Every structure is written in C-alpha cells, then in structure tokens.
Amino acid sequence: MGKSFVHYNSIEIGDTILQKVRTAKSLSDYIGRGLGEEVTLFLNGKMLIGIRLADGKTYFWKRSLIGPVLGLLCMLPLVASLLSTSNSLLIGVGLPALFYFPVFRRDLKQVLSYQSRLSAMGGIPLKS
C-alpha cells in the first residue's frame, strides 16, 4: 500500500475481531505502545484513524484536504457526462470516478468530521 500506510490482517479486541484494517504508519507506532493495555480505537470504516492510550493521551491520523478535493474534482466529469449526450466522457473519466466515490466519502468524513472531534478531545495530530 505504500510506505506511509500499515495494513493489519486482523485486530482482536475481546470477542471482536476486526479484519483488513489500515492506518497511517505514524499512528501504527502508538498502537504498538498500547499492546497489553486498555486502549480506545477510533475507526472510520476499515481505517483506524485514532487511538487513546491507557495514559489518556489521544493520537490521531491527520490527513490533508487535498485527497478529498481531488476526489470531488474527479466526480465533476461524472456529473457533467450524465447531463450531456456524450457517453465517451462517462466511460473515460466519469466511470473511474464512480469507483473512487466510496473512498472519497470516507476520506472527506475523516478530514471534516473526525479530525476536528479528535482534536477537540485534546488529540495529538500525526501526519501519514
């Protein structure tokens, strides 16, 4: 997935098993510090975006707004192609944007909602 992400095949918490979870490499270091202790994990779908350690410190993955903005720009050709009579734009640009939409939506939710909440809780931002 690249050097800035860590992929966990499974994370077991009590009776719950989370599978195929990814997070920023910088946040992964703090997950290791919390092993064997009571921690709180903050998830956005299958993305681990924050952790509160037993000492009360909260760390979160701070993402840039660039990715969601690019995602929005990719969605514009899809909307334009639906309004026009040309299907070539839909197939060439709009269709790939449609597959990116679920990822874009989670990214946007993380940047606009979760990051501000975790920051308000006194969380320490970590860049990926």
Side-chain angles (χ1 to χ4, degrees):
M1 278 205 191
K3 294 180 181 180
S4 61
F5 295 103
V6 175
H7 179 73
Y8 294 99
N9 289 325
S10 62
I11 298 174
E12 185 173 355
I13 305 168
D15 293 336
T16 304
I17 297 176
L18 305 172
Q19 293 183 310
K20 296 183 180 177
V21 176
R22 81 173 177 143
T23 191
K25 187 174 183 177
S26 57
L27 188 59
S28 176
D29 297 337
Y30 293 93
I31 294 167
R33 285 177 49 189
L35 290 176
E37 298 178 356
E38 187 173 321
V39 298
T40 302
L41 301 179
F42 299 93
L43 297 164
N44 179 14
K46 296 273 186 174
M47 292 189 305
L48 179 59
I49 60 170
I51 183 169
R52 181 181 305 130
L53 297 175
D55 64 6
K57 290 184 180 177
T58 301
Y59 301 90
F60 68 95
W61 173 13
K62 182 172 173 74
R63 298 184 74 168
S64 169
L65 191 58
I66 292 172
V69 168
L70 289 177
L72 180 62
L73 292 175
C74 288
M75 293 303 294
L76 292 177
L78 176 63
V79 173
S81 67
L82 293 174
L83 298 175
S84 74
T85 57
S86 171
N87 288 333
S88 62
L89 186 61
L90 172 65
I91 293 168
V93 178
L95 200 54
L98 184 62
F99 291 109
Y100 180 67
F101 180 72
V103 174
F104 159 69
R105 186 183 54 173
R106 283 191 308 266
D107 291 350
L108 192 60
K109 190 174 186 179
Q110 182 177 348
V111 170
L112 297 178
S113 178
Y114 293 134
Q115 285 181 183
S116 60
R117 289 181 191 174
L118 291 167
S119 181
M121 292 170 41
I124 300 167
L126 305 169
K127 297 200 179 201
S128 56

